[in-house]
Amino acid sequence: RVQKVVDTVMTTGLFKSPETVAFACMAMHSKFLMADKYKPGRKFGGHITLIRAEQGAAREEDVGRDYGISQVSEDSEVHVVEGDHDTFVQGKSSAKTVSIINSLILNN
């Protein structure tokens, strides 16, 4: 399966090294397995804030609105910023992301 992904991705011309693509696939697979098997002994007692893009690779019905954070934390909040992972960090929605982070840091 990895080789099929590598072959497909390499046809885009966006990557120089098939080994790098293969490594990325294997690393992502390992992360998914680790996350799936992780069962915390207790909930984290602190506060967790998730800032996520409105449009993501993961479907909300699969991962939940908060990506499962409420299952491992006693106190959490989610901010959904318009756009995808590029625009909410570097594009037109980045100002909103910055505003949320500043508000959290400055306790406003």
Side-chain angles (χ1 to χ4, degrees):
R1 290 183 224 177
V2 170
Q3 190 58 51
K4 178 68 174 167
V5 172
V6 170
D7 292 344
T8 303
V9 169
M10 292 307 294
T11 64
T12 67
L14 298 173
F15 299 90
K16 295 178 183 177
S17 169
E19 291 81 15
T20 301
V21 176
F23 176 80
C25 288
M26 301 285 284
M28 187 61 73
H29 180 257
S30 294
K31 289 177 186 180
F32 283 140
L33 288 177
M34 181 176 58
D36 187 54
K37 292 179 181 182
Y38 177 68
K39 304 291 182 238
R42 60 186 170 84
K43 286 188 172 187
F44 173 67
H47 179 79
I48 297 175
T49 300
L50 170 66
I51 304 171
R52 69 177 188 88
E54 181 181 52
Q55 302 164 357
R59 297 182 320 160
E60 193 170 303
E61 55 266 21
D62 292 335
V63 297
R65 183 176 189 277
D66 69 353
Y67 287 33
I69 289 173
S70 59
Q71 296 174 17
V72 297
S73 173
E74 294 180 10
D75 183 26
S76 63
E77 67 180 308
V78 178
H79 297 271
V80 180
V81 177
E82 183 181 324
D84 59 23
H85 283 96
D86 290 328
T87 60
F88 102 120
V89 173
Q90 297 180 344
K92 64 181 179 181
S93 300
S94 62
K96 176 66 175 174
T97 304
V98 169
S99 174
I100 293 167
I101 293 170
N102 282 336
S103 177
L104 292 166
I105 292 171
L106 301 173
N107 294 318
N108 292 338

